[in-house]
Amino acid sequence: MPYWLMKSEPDEFSIRDLKKMGHGRWDGVRNYQARNFMRQMQEGDQFFFYHSSCAEPGIAGIGRISRSAYPDPTALDPASPYHEAKARDDANPWSAVDVEFVDAFATPLKLALLKNEPALHELALVKKGSRLSVMPVSEDEWQAILAMR
DNA sequence: GCCAACGTTGGC
DNA sequence: GCCAACGTTGGC
């Protein structure tokens, strides 16, 4: 079973929001590499919920994919900040997945800690200059991160 | 708020 | 197809 990591700005959507709601839609991804990873996700896959662009960037919890990729409705919605004029109902290039809450860490694992963990040196998240917002996590990396809690 | 690094756009 | 200019990401 594959593992993933997905970034979100907690001001927009945080692990607390997901905990409160129980489930949600992961949408608004507008990068092809990230989108392609989303299309590989299967129901039941787990992912680390990463908080970016905030006071304490880091992994804040765990979620699970509850519906595999489908056309992202925000691309077609003129009222959405993620609206894309080029997208059409029958030609929507962007994908969303549905997610459900699994766990919120008592203490988020800060990016600085993750960078110091040798087992994570291949993870795109900690590589210099990487801005990828959706990425695969290997079984070993997944276990290494869990062990850091 | 700054700015380095990146991805995308569009003229040529 | 090249590449400069631009807009975005995201840590600090």
Side-chain angles (χ1 to χ4, degrees):
Chain A
M1 187 84 75
Y3 297 102
W4 309 96
L5 181 147
M6 298 202 284
K7 297 180 183 176
S8 176
E9 300 187 16
D11 288 350
E12 277 191 41
F13 186 54
S14 71
I15 190 73
R16 266 176 241 296
D17 297 329
L18 182 57
K19 183 175 187 178
K20 203 181 315 170
M21 303 186 311
H23 53 85
R25 186 175 70 207
W26 208 281
D27 55 27
V29 172
R30 294 294 178 267
N31 170 281
Y32 286 105
Q33 201 182 351
R35 181 208 66 181
N36 291 343
F37 284 132
M38 290 177 81
R39 289 182 174 178
Q40 295 177 31
M41 294 176 178
Q42 296 295 322
E43 191 179 325
D45 288 359
Q46 295 191 92
F47 66 96
F48 285 123
F49 195 128
Y50 181 87
H51 285 173
S52 65
S53 295
C54 57
E56 285 200 343
I59 295 174
I62 296 173
R64 187 186 293 117
I65 306 302
S66 56
R67 180 185 172 189
S68 60
Y70 58 96
D72 182 351
T74 65
L76 303 172
D77 178 4
S80 168
Y82 304 116
H83 178 241
E84 290 246 338
K86 284 177 287 184
R88 293 286 175 273
D89 214 14
D90 58 350
N92 182 349
W94 301 114
S95 297
V97 296
D98 287 348
V99 300
E100 59 191 13
F101 176 79
V102 174
D103 191 23
F105 295 167
T107 311
L109 294 172
K110 290 183 211 160
L111 179 61
L113 280 178
L114 300 169
K115 281 181 174 169
N116 279 335
E117 172 52 56
L120 302 180
H121 280 173
E122 289 304 309
L123 187 63
L125 180 75
V126 305
K127 289 200 172 173
K128 183 171 184 282
S130 173
R131 302 189 331 198
L132 192 60
S133 62
V134 176
M135 68 193 75
V137 175
S138 74
E139 170 84 38
D140 286 349
E141 289 163 344
W142 183 267
Q143 296 301 337
I145 292 168
L146 288 184
M148 293 173 74
R149 282 178 305 175

Tab-separated table of all heavy atoms in Angstrom, chain A residues 28-77:
chain	number	residue	atom	x	y	z
A	28	GLY	N	-7.535	21.944	-5.802
A	28	GLY	CA	-6.734	23.139	-6.035
A	28	GLY	C	-5.297	22.878	-6.417
A	28	GLY	O	-4.526	23.823	-6.584
A	29	VAL	N	-4.911	21.628	-6.563
A	29	VAL	CA	-3.533	21.322	-6.977
A	29	VAL	C	-3.371	21.700	-8.447
A	29	VAL	O	-4.133	21.246	-9.295
A	29	VAL	CB	-3.215	19.831	-6.749
A	29	VAL	CG1	-1.867	19.464	-7.357
A	29	VAL	CG2	-3.236	19.513	-5.257
A	30	ARG	N	-2.377	22.553	-8.724
A	30	ARG	CA	-2.201	23.064	-10.085
A	30	ARG	C	-0.781	22.857	-10.571
A	30	ARG	O	-0.149	23.742	-11.150
A	30	ARG	CB	-2.572	24.563	-10.137
A	30	ARG	CG	-4.041	24.842	-9.872
A	30	ARG	CD	-4.941	24.287	-10.957
A	30	ARG	NE	-6.359	24.526	-10.669
A	30	ARG	CZ	-7.143	23.662	-10.039
A	30	ARG	NH1	-6.652	22.495	-9.632
A	30	ARG	NH2	-8.415	23.938	-9.821
A	31	ASN	N	-0.273	21.690	-10.290
A	31	ASN	CA	1.069	21.317	-10.746
A	31	ASN	C	0.967	19.900	-11.308
A	31	ASN	O	0.371	19.023	-10.668
A	31	ASN	CB	2.041	21.396	-9.566
A	31	ASN	CG	3.401	20.793	-9.889
A	31	ASN	OD1	3.558	19.576	-9.882
A	31	ASN	ND2	4.379	21.632	-10.162
A	32	TYR	N	1.518	19.701	-12.497
A	32	TYR	CA	1.289	18.428	-13.189
A	32	TYR	C	1.926	17.247	-12.473
A	32	TYR	O	1.343	16.170	-12.406
A	32	TYR	CB	1.772	18.517	-14.628
A	32	TYR	CG	0.861	19.343	-15.500
A	32	TYR	CD1	1.199	20.634	-15.904
A	32	TYR	CD2	-0.385	18.843	-15.891
A	32	TYR	CE1	0.347	21.396	-16.689
A	32	TYR	CE2	-1.252	19.594	-16.669
A	32	TYR	CZ	-0.883	20.872	-17.064
A	32	TYR	OH	-1.736	21.614	-17.830
A	33	GLN	N	3.118	17.464	-11.940
A	33	GLN	CA	3.778	16.348	-11.246
A	33	GLN	C	2.965	15.927	-10.023
A	33	GLN	O	2.746	14.740	-9.773
A	33	GLN	CB	5.188	16.779	-10.838
A	33	GLN	CG	6.109	15.613	-10.591
A	33	GLN	CD	7.495	16.043	-10.130
A	33	GLN	OE1	7.832	17.227	-10.146
A	33	GLN	NE2	8.304	15.082	-9.725
A	34	ALA	N	2.513	16.938	-9.287
A	34	ALA	CA	1.696	16.659	-8.096
A	34	ALA	C	0.389	15.980	-8.499
A	34	ALA	O	-0.053	15.011	-7.877
A	34	ALA	CB	1.426	17.954	-7.338
A	35	ARG	N	-0.220	16.498	-9.571
A	35	ARG	CA	-1.472	15.915	-10.043
A	35	ARG	C	-1.295	14.457	-10.438
A	35	ARG	O	-2.140	13.594	-10.141
A	35	ARG	CB	-1.993	16.705	-11.244
A	35	ARG	CG	-3.310	16.180	-11.768
A	35	ARG	CD	-3.469	16.461	-13.240
A	35	ARG	NE	-2.506	15.722	-14.066
A	35	ARG	CZ	-2.436	15.813	-15.375
A	35	ARG	NH1	-3.247	16.650	-16.013
A	35	ARG	NH2	-1.556	15.118	-16.063
A	36	ASN	N	-0.185	14.174	-11.109
A	36	ASN	CA	0.036	12.796	-11.544
A	36	ASN	C	0.164	11.854	-10.355
A	36	ASN	O	-0.294	10.711	-10.418
A	36	ASN	CB	1.269	12.724	-12.442
A	36	ASN	CG	1.036	13.415	-13.770
A	36	ASN	OD1	-0.122	13.667	-14.152
A	36	ASN	ND2	2.104	13.745	-14.468
A	37	PHE	N	0.783	12.312	-9.295
A	37	PHE	CA	0.837	11.480	-8.087
A	37	PHE	C	-0.559	11.286	-7.509
A	37	PHE	O	-0.911	10.193	-7.064
A	37	PHE	CB	1.769	12.101	-7.049
A	37	PHE	CG	3.229	11.924	-7.352
A	37	PHE	CD1	4.109	12.999	-7.285
A	37	PHE	CD2	3.733	10.675	-7.694
A	37	PHE	CE1	5.461	12.836	-7.566
A	37	PHE	CE2	5.082	10.495	-7.972
A	37	PHE	CZ	5.947	11.583	-7.909
A	38	MET	N	-1.371	12.333	-7.523
A	38	MET	CA	-2.737	12.197	-6.997
A	38	MET	C	-3.523	11.142	-7.769
A	38	MET	O	-4.339	10.423	-7.201
A	38	MET	CB	-3.475	13.537	-7.056
A	38	MET	CG	-2.934	14.545	-6.050
A	38	MET	SD	-3.752	16.144	-6.211
A	38	MET	CE	-5.272	15.871	-5.311
A	39	ARG	N	-3.248	11.067	-9.071
A	39	ARG	CA	-3.971	10.103	-9.903
A	39	ARG	C	-3.558	8.672	-9.617
A	39	ARG	O	-4.235	7.731	-10.027
A	39	ARG	CB	-3.765	10.435	-11.386
A	39	ARG	CG	-4.499	11.704	-11.773
A	39	ARG	CD	-4.342	12.018	-13.248
A	39	ARG	NE	-5.180	13.158	-13.619
A	39	ARG	CZ	-5.225	13.684	-14.838
A	39	ARG	NH1	-4.488	13.164	-15.791
A	39	ARG	NH2	-6.008	14.715	-15.091
A	40	GLN	N	-2.410	8.512	-8.929
A	40	GLN	CA	-1.966	7.160	-8.559
A	40	GLN	C	-2.545	6.721	-7.218
A	40	GLN	O	-2.415	5.562	-6.832
A	40	GLN	CB	-0.441	7.117	-8.464
A	40	GLN	CG	0.272	7.347	-9.787
A	40	GLN	CD	1.790	7.368	-9.609
A	40	GLN	OE1	2.336	6.702	-8.739
A	40	GLN	NE2	2.467	8.152	-10.430
A	41	MET	N	-3.171	7.633	-6.511
A	41	MET	CA	-3.667	7.307	-5.169
A	41	MET	C	-4.873	6.379	-5.239
A	41	MET	O	-5.719	6.518	-6.107
A	41	MET	CB	-4.041	8.592	-4.429
A	41	MET	CG	-2.846	9.479	-4.146
A	41	MET	SD	-3.370	11.029	-3.379
A	41	MET	CE	-1.771	11.794	-3.121
A	42	GLN	N	-4.912	5.450	-4.298
A	42	GLN	CA	-6.023	4.513	-4.211
A	42	GLN	C	-6.722	4.681	-2.874
A	42	GLN	O	-6.090	5.060	-1.875
A	42	GLN	CB	-5.508	3.072	-4.335
A	42	GLN	CG	-4.867	2.748	-5.682
A	42	GLN	CD	-5.853	2.813	-6.842
A	42	GLN	OE1	-7.016	2.417	-6.698
A	42	GLN	NE2	-5.408	3.335	-7.988
A	43	GLU	N	-8.007	4.397	-2.878
A	43	GLU	CA	-8.769	4.425	-1.634
A	43	GLU	C	-8.061	3.569	-0.588
A	43	GLU	O	-7.663	2.435	-0.886
A	43	GLU	CB	-10.181	3.878	-1.908
A	43	GLU	CG	-11.147	4.104	-0.781
A	43	GLU	CD	-12.537	3.562	-1.113
A	43	GLU	OE1	-12.931	3.632	-2.303
A	43	GLU	OE2	-13.207	3.075	-0.194
A	44	GLY	N	-7.867	4.138	0.593
A	44	GLY	CA	-7.195	3.411	1.664
A	44	GLY	C	-5.740	3.831	1.858
A	44	GLY	O	-5.184	3.618	2.931
A	45	ASP	N	-5.122	4.417	0.837
A	45	ASP	CA	-3.749	4.914	1.004
A	45	ASP	C	-3.709	5.972	2.104
A	45	ASP	O	-4.616	6.802	2.207
A	45	ASP	CB	-3.242	5.582	-0.290
A	45	ASP	CG	-2.951	4.595	-1.407
A	45	ASP	OD1	-3.126	3.383	-1.194
A	45	ASP	OD2	-2.552	5.060	-2.488
A	46	GLN	N	-2.654	5.945	2.877
A	46	GLN	CA	-2.502	6.966	3.918
A	46	GLN	C	-1.492	8.025	3.479
A	46	GLN	O	-0.600	7.758	2.667
A	46	GLN	CB	-2.059	6.319	5.227
A	46	GLN	CG	-3.097	5.384	5.825
A	46	GLN	CD	-2.744	4.986	7.234
A	46	GLN	OE1	-3.147	5.620	8.204
A	46	GLN	NE2	-1.960	3.922	7.344
A	47	PHE	N	-1.636	9.227	4.041
A	47	PHE	CA	-0.704	10.311	3.692
A	47	PHE	C	-0.396	11.151	4.923
A	47	PHE	O	-1.218	11.270	5.837
A	47	PHE	CB	-1.283	11.195	2.583
A	47	PHE	CG	-2.507	11.979	2.982
A	47	PHE	CD1	-2.410	13.303	3.414
A	47	PHE	CD2	-3.765	11.385	2.928
A	47	PHE	CE1	-3.544	14.027	3.783
A	47	PHE	CE2	-4.913	12.103	3.301
A	47	PHE	CZ	-4.798	13.420	3.724
A	48	PHE	N	0.814	11.722	4.921
A	48	PHE	CA	1.153	12.710	5.935
A	48	PHE	C	0.579	14.057	5.524
A	48	PHE	O	0.697	14.472	4.372
A	48	PHE	CB	2.674	12.818	6.096
A	48	PHE	CG	3.285	11.665	6.838
A	48	PHE	CD1	4.288	10.902	6.244
A	48	PHE	CD2	2.874	11.342	8.117
A	48	PHE	CE1	4.863	9.837	6.922
A	48	PHE	CE2	3.438	10.281	8.805
A	48	PHE	CZ	4.427	9.527	8.212
A	49	PHE	N	-0.023	14.710	6.476
A	49	PHE	CA	-0.633	16.027	6.274
A	49	PHE	C	0.395	17.066	6.713
A	49	PHE	O	0.699	17.207	7.894
A	49	PHE	CB	-1.902	16.122	7.125
A	49	PHE	CG	-2.831	17.266	6.779
A	49	PHE	CD1	-4.179	17.018	6.540
A	49	PHE	CD2	-2.377	18.572	6.705
A	49	PHE	CE1	-5.057	18.058	6.236
A	49	PHE	CE2	-3.246	19.613	6.395
A	49	PHE	CZ	-4.592	19.358	6.170
A	50	TYR	N	0.958	17.771	5.723
A	50	TYR	CA	2.039	18.723	5.981
A	50	TYR	C	1.505	20.156	5.970
A	50	TYR	O	0.764	20.534	5.064
A	50	TYR	CB	3.116	18.570	4.905
A	50	TYR	CG	4.307	19.484	5.061
A	50	TYR	CD1	5.390	19.119	5.839
A	50	TYR	CD2	4.337	20.724	4.423
A	50	TYR	CE1	6.490	19.959	5.983
A	50	TYR	CE2	5.430	21.578	4.563
A	50	TYR	CZ	6.503	21.179	5.351
A	50	TYR	OH	7.578	22.018	5.491
A	51	HIS	N	1.901	20.909	6.969
A	51	HIS	CA	1.531	22.327	7.034
A	51	HIS	C	2.659	23.177	6.446
A	51	HIS	O	3.774	23.170	6.953
A	51	HIS	CB	1.273	22.752	8.483
A	51	HIS	CG	-0.025	22.259	9.027
A	51	HIS	ND1	-0.392	22.414	10.352
A	51	HIS	CD2	-1.071	21.629	8.432
A	51	HIS	CE1	-1.603	21.891	10.540
A	51	HIS	NE2	-2.029	21.401	9.392
A	52	SER	N	2.335	23.946	5.397
A	52	SER	CA	3.346	24.794	4.764
A	52	SER	C	2.978	26.266	4.893
A	52	SER	O	1.832	26.608	5.226
A	52	SER	CB	3.484	24.428	3.279
A	52	SER	OG	2.293	24.730	2.586
A	53	SER	N	3.963	27.118	4.596
A	53	SER	CA	3.746	28.579	4.616
A	53	SER	C	3.085	29.025	5.917
A	53	SER	O	2.060	29.713	5.908
A	53	SER	CB	2.885	29.012	3.426
A	53	SER	OG	3.559	28.790	2.234
A	54	CYS	N	3.675	28.645	7.026
A	54	CYS	CA	3.107	28.989	8.327
A	54	CYS	C	4.243	29.123	9.337
A	54	CYS	O	5.410	28.940	8.996
A	54	CYS	CB	2.119	27.910	8.766
A	54	CYS	SG	2.829	26.259	8.835
A	55	ALA	N	3.894	29.444	10.565
A	55	ALA	CA	4.906	29.706	11.587
A	55	ALA	C	5.785	28.476	11.840
A	55	ALA	O	6.996	28.605	12.006
A	55	ALA	CB	4.233	30.145	12.880
A	56	GLU	N	5.162	27.301	11.880
A	56	GLU	CA	5.919	26.084	12.138
A	56	GLU	C	5.653	25.035	11.081
A	56	GLU	O	4.870	24.112	11.289
A	56	GLU	CB	5.583	25.533	13.530
A	56	GLU	CG	6.211	26.312	14.650
A	56	GLU	CD	6.275	25.513	15.950
A	56	GLU	OE1	5.545	24.501	16.066
A	56	GLU	OE2	7.060	25.905	16.825
A	57	PRO	N	6.323	25.140	9.943
A	57	PRO	CA	6.116	24.154	8.883
A	57	PRO	C	6.512	22.768	9.372
A	57	PRO	O	7.547	22.598	10.028
A	57	PRO	CB	7.063	24.611	7.771
A	57	PRO	CG	7.644	25.905	8.195
A	57	PRO	CD	7.358	26.125	9.620
A	58	GLY	N	5.690	21.772	9.040
A	58	GLY	CA	6.001	20.396	9.431
A	58	GLY	C	4.824	19.467	9.228
A	58	GLY	O	3.753	19.885	8.786
A	59	ILE	N	5.064	18.197	9.568
A	59	ILE	CA	4.010	17.191	9.435
A	59	ILE	C	3.120	17.254	10.670
A	59	ILE	O	3.592	17.107	11.795
A	59	ILE	CB	4.619	15.790	9.264
A	59	ILE	CG1	5.386	15.716	7.947
A	59	ILE	CG2	3.511	14.730	9.296
A	59	ILE	CD1	6.153	14.415	7.756
A	60	ALA	N	1.825	17.476	10.436
A	60	ALA	CA	0.910	17.725	11.552
A	60	ALA	C	-0.001	16.550	11.849
A	60	ALA	O	-0.675	16.539	12.885
A	60	ALA	CB	0.066	18.968	11.250
A	61	GLY	N	-0.032	15.569	10.949
A	61	GLY	CA	-0.906	14.432	11.206
A	61	GLY	C	-0.987	13.500	10.017
A	61	GLY	O	-0.159	13.569	9.102
A	62	ILE	N	-2.001	12.638	10.058
A	62	ILE	CA	-2.167	11.595	9.038
A	62	ILE	C	-3.609	11.602	8.538
A	62	ILE	O	-4.543	11.791	9.322
A	62	ILE	CB	-1.821	10.206	9.626
A	62	ILE	CG1	-0.335	10.159	10.020
A	62	ILE	CG2	-2.152	9.080	8.640
A	62	ILE	CD1	0.056	8.879	10.756
A	63	GLY	N	-3.749	11.390	7.241
A	63	GLY	CA	-5.072	11.228	6.646
A	63	GLY	C	-5.091	9.995	5.769
A	63	GLY	O	-4.065	9.334	5.568
A	64	ARG	N	-6.259	9.678	5.241
A	64	ARG	CA	-6.429	8.511	4.379
A	64	ARG	C	-7.240	8.915	3.157
A	64	ARG	O	-8.153	9.731	3.250
A	64	ARG	CB	-7.163	7.405	5.141
A	64	ARG	CG	-7.259	6.085	4.401
A	64	ARG	CD	-8.127	5.070	5.149
A	64	ARG	NE	-7.534	4.627	6.402
A	64	ARG	CZ	-8.074	4.831	7.611
A	64	ARG	NH1	-9.224	5.483	7.734
A	64	ARG	NH2	-7.475	4.391	8.687
A	65	ILE	N	-6.867	8.357	2.017
A	65	ILE	CA	-7.614	8.622	0.786
A	65	ILE	C	-8.936	7.854	0.848
A	65	ILE	O	-8.943	6.632	1.035
A	65	ILE	CB	-6.809	8.170	-0.455
A	65	ILE	CG1	-5.412	8.807	-0.461
A	65	ILE	CG2	-7.583	8.509	-1.740
A	65	ILE	CD1	-5.400	10.321	-0.432
A	66	SER	N	-10.046	8.570	0.702
A	66	SER	CA	-11.347	7.906	0.774
A	66	SER	C	-12.024	7.828	-0.599
A	66	SER	O	-13.021	7.141	-0.776
A	66	SER	CB	-12.269	8.629	1.759
A	66	SER	OG	-12.402	9.996	1.421
A	67	ARG	N	-11.471	8.560	-1.571
A	67	ARG	CA	-11.954	8.438	-2.954
A	67	ARG	C	-10.801	8.776	-3.875
A	67	ARG	O	-10.163	9.818	-3.706
A	67	ARG	CB	-13.137	9.381	-3.194
A	67	ARG	CG	-13.687	9.299	-4.618
A	67	ARG	CD	-14.782	10.331	-4.864
A	67	ARG	NE	-15.152	10.357	-6.291
A	67	ARG	CZ	-15.951	11.271	-6.835
A	67	ARG	NH1	-16.470	12.235	-6.078
A	67	ARG	NH2	-16.237	11.235	-8.112
A	68	SER	N	-10.546	7.902	-4.841
A	68	SER	CA	-9.428	8.140	-5.760
A	68	SER	C	-9.744	9.311	-6.682
A	68	SER	O	-10.842	9.867	-6.651
A	68	SER	CB	-9.119	6.866	-6.540
A	68	SER	OG	-10.252	6.469	-7.274
A	69	ALA	N	-8.789	9.663	-7.529
A	69	ALA	CA	-8.847	10.922	-8.272
A	69	ALA	C	-10.065	11.042	-9.183
A	69	ALA	O	-10.473	10.083	-9.834
A	69	ALA	CB	-7.569	11.067	-9.094
A	70	TYR	N	-10.607	12.243	-9.204
A	70	TYR	CA	-11.723	12.580	-10.088
A	70	TYR	C	-11.524	14.038	-10.505
A	70	TYR	O	-10.724	14.756	-9.894
A	70	TYR	CB	-13.068	12.364	-9.374
A	70	TYR	CG	-13.254	13.135	-8.100
A	70	TYR	CD1	-13.922	14.359	-8.093
A	70	TYR	CD2	-12.755	12.659	-6.884
A	70	TYR	CE1	-14.104	15.082	-6.913
A	70	TYR	CE2	-12.923	13.362	-5.708
A	70	TYR	CZ	-13.596	14.565	-5.726
A	70	TYR	OH	-13.756	15.274	-4.563
A	71	PRO	N	-12.259	14.519	-11.544
A	71	PRO	CA	-12.026	15.893	-12.016
A	71	PRO	C	-12.253	16.922	-10.912
A	71	PRO	O	-13.266	16.859	-10.202
A	71	PRO	CB	-13.056	16.040	-13.141
A	71	PRO	CG	-13.294	14.647	-13.619
A	71	PRO	CD	-13.201	13.777	-12.394
A	72	ASP	N	-11.317	17.839	-10.773
A	72	ASP	CA	-11.371	18.835	-9.701
A	72	ASP	C	-12.445	19.890	-10.003
A	72	ASP	O	-12.288	20.687	-10.930
A	72	ASP	CB	-9.991	19.490	-9.588
A	72	ASP	CG	-9.933	20.518	-8.456
A	72	ASP	OD1	-10.995	20.840	-7.881
A	72	ASP	OD2	-8.820	20.992	-8.164
A	73	PRO	N	-13.513	19.915	-9.217
A	73	PRO	CA	-14.608	20.857	-9.489
A	73	PRO	C	-14.182	22.321	-9.375
A	73	PRO	O	-14.783	23.183	-10.022
A	73	PRO	CB	-15.660	20.534	-8.411
A	73	PRO	CG	-15.212	19.284	-7.748
A	73	PRO	CD	-13.763	19.098	-8.029
A	74	THR	N	-13.158	22.602	-8.573
A	74	THR	CA	-12.772	24.008	-8.394
A	74	THR	C	-12.215	24.600	-9.689
A	74	THR	O	-12.269	25.806	-9.891
A	74	THR	CB	-11.716	24.176	-7.273
A	74	THR	OG1	-10.496	23.535	-7.658
A	74	THR	CG2	-12.214	23.603	-5.960
A	75	ALA	N	-11.699	23.748	-10.580
A	75	ALA	CA	-11.168	24.245	-11.854
A	75	ALA	C	-12.283	24.820	-12.716
A	75	ALA	O	-12.050	25.688	-13.555
A	75	ALA	CB	-10.436	23.129	-12.596
A	76	LEU	N	-13.508	24.327	-12.521
A	76	LEU	CA	-14.654	24.739	-13.348
A	76	LEU	C	-15.490	25.820	-12.676
A	76	LEU	O	-16.409	26.368	-13.289
A	76	LEU	CB	-15.561	23.528	-13.630
A	76	LEU	CG	-14.886	22.336	-14.305
A	76	LEU	CD1	-15.832	21.145	-14.350
A	76	LEU	CD2	-14.408	22.704	-15.693
A	77	ASP	N	-15.181	26.115	-11.435
A	77	ASP	CA	-16.006	27.035	-10.644
A	77	ASP	C	-15.463	28.467	-10.734
A	77	ASP	O	-14.412	28.767	-10.180
A	77	ASP	CB	-16.004	26.551	-9.190
A	77	ASP	CG	-16.805	27.471	-8.278
A	77	ASP	OD1	-17.425	28.441	-8.791
A	77	ASP	OD2	-16.805	27.218	-7.053
